[in-house]
Amino acid sequence: MAEEPFKALADPTRRVILDELAERSGQTLFEICSRLVMKHGISMSRQAVSQHMAVLETAGLVESRREGRYKFHDLNTAPLEQITRRWLDPDRQESDE
Amino acid sequence: MRIELTSVYVDDQDKAEKFYTEVLGFKKKNEVPMGDGARWLTMVSPEVPDGPELLLEPSGHPAVAPYRDALVNDGIPLAQFAVDDVNAEVERLRELGVRITQEPMEIAGVTFAVFDDTCGNLIQIIHQA
């Protein structure tokens, strides 16, 4: 199993981003930044949030899609399902490390 | 010092005038031919006829497109207007075919949403309880 999801989940800000995307999918970077500041008091630069998003995308936990001039982000729980299957349902485990 | 005028760049002044008056409900305040087909074109809220004006400025300068495209890509609004009821306004705009890029969200007594003004910008509307 790839390392990336574990690394991505290690950071508390990235976990909050996933919480917010779980609450509402299809968010712009602006909306994600707004939620971090206003709901969680996490004020960091847009560039820092962008970097967190890149880590989450690399891990497959976030997918971005372009619609016209806008870019929206969605949660993808597939990597989490792989993680849980590994220990909760070892018989169905697809790949070993 | 007072803020009497602020501006947004618009791709097409005729289209912008239509959208800002017919869809958003602003009133045309000033219109002066500026040559080359461009106008000094300002809008005002009918609720505050002597209030700050919004200049709908032609977006022809080559620096405008990359600047706006990058902001729109990230969902960043270029102007903010106050409304009494964000949810009702979003429904009204949606009925008129306006694209909402951020559905109404309420955090700590502040409700806001973002829509596309069809002239190249994202606009935020906000209500503070």
Side-chain angles (χ1 to χ4, degrees), chain A residues 38-62:
Chain A
M38 295 176 73
K39 280 177 80 172
H40 303 279
I42 301 170
S43 54
M44 53 172 64
S45 71
R46 191 185 45 77
Q47 290 87 339
V49 176
S50 270
Q51 283 168 351
H52 282 311
M53 296 306 291
V55 173
L56 290 166
E57 277 199 60
T58 305
L61 291 160
V62 165

Side-chain angles (χ1 to χ4, degrees), chain B residues 89-107:
Chain B
E89 192 63 28
V90 161
E91 284 318 307
R92 189 186 74 82
L93 292 171
R94 207 196 308 275
E95 291 280 296
L96 294 168
V98 174
R99 175 66 199 267
I100 311 298
T101 63
Q102 184 177 310
E103 293 294 329
M105 172 164 59
E106 195 223 329
I107 302 173

Side-chain angles (χ1 to χ4, degrees), chain A residues 69, chain B residues 7-14 16 38-39 55-69 78 117-121:
Chain A
R69 299 175 70 216
Chain B
S7 68
V8 290
Y9 289 106
V10 296
D11 293 333
D12 175 329
Q13 283 191 305
D14 296 339
R39 293 175 282 161
L55 173 69
L56 302 178
E57 197 166 5
S59 62
H61 191 289
V64 174
Y67 148 76
R68 284 201 309 183
D69 288 345
L78 279 171
D117 77 352
T118 71
C119 309
N121 310 293

Side-chain angles (χ1 to χ4, degrees), chain A residues 25-81:
Chain A
S25 59
Q27 292 185 37
T28 62
L29 183 63
F30 175 75
E31 180 169 359
I32 292 162
C33 291
S34 302
R35 286 168 174 255
L36 289 178
V37 172
M38 295 176 73
K39 280 177 80 172
H40 303 279
I42 301 170
S43 54
M44 53 172 64
S45 71
R46 191 185 45 77
Q47 290 87 339
V49 176
S50 270
Q51 283 168 351
H52 282 311
M53 296 306 291
V55 173
L56 290 166
E57 277 199 60
T58 305
L61 291 160
V62 165
E63 285 181 343
S64 64
R65 58 190 156 89
R66 174 161 288 289
E67 275 184 37
R69 299 175 70 216
Y70 338 105
K71 188 170 154 194
F72 295 107
H73 302 84
D74 299 307
L75 175 66
N76 180 7
T77 54
L80 300 176
E81 285 157 14

Side-chain angles (χ1 to χ4, degrees), chain B:
Chain B
M1 205 178 288
R2 300 175 305 279
I3 298 175
E4 290 189 343
L5 180 122
T6 182
S7 68
V8 290
Y9 289 106
V10 296
D11 293 333
D12 175 329
Q13 283 191 305
D14 296 339
K15 186 178 170 189
E17 181 182 340
K18 236 172 127 60
F19 184 87
Y20 276 76
T21 54
E22 293 173 16
V23 177
L24 298 187
F26 293 128
K27 267 181 59 200
K28 183 157 68 177
K29 175 116 182 196
N30 286 305
E31 183 174 36
V32 183
M34 298 292 281
D36 215 19
R39 293 175 282 161
W40 177 265
L41 175 65
T42 72
M43 296 285 140
V44 72
S45 167
E47 297 166 42
V48 199
D50 295 320
E53 294 173 51
L54 180 71
L55 173 69
L56 302 178
E57 197 166 5
S59 62
H61 191 289
V64 174
Y67 148 76
R68 284 201 309 183
D69 288 345
L71 293 178
V72 169
N73 177 69
D74 286 340
I76 299 171
L78 279 171
Q80 174 175 289
F81 304 130
V83 297
D84 292 334
D85 184 338
V86 171
N87 288 295
E89 192 63 28
V90 161
E91 284 318 307
R92 189 186 74 82
L93 292 171
R94 207 196 308 275
E95 291 280 296
L96 294 168
V98 174
R99 175 66 199 267
I100 311 298
T101 63
Q102 184 177 310
E103 293 294 329
M105 172 164 59
E106 195 223 329
I107 302 173
V110 182
T111 310
F112 53 105
V114 179
F115 65 85
D116 186 323
D117 77 352
T118 71
C119 309
N121 310 293
L122 297 180
I123 303 290
Q124 179 161 289
I125 47 174
I126 189 160
H127 174 74
Q128 289 172 280

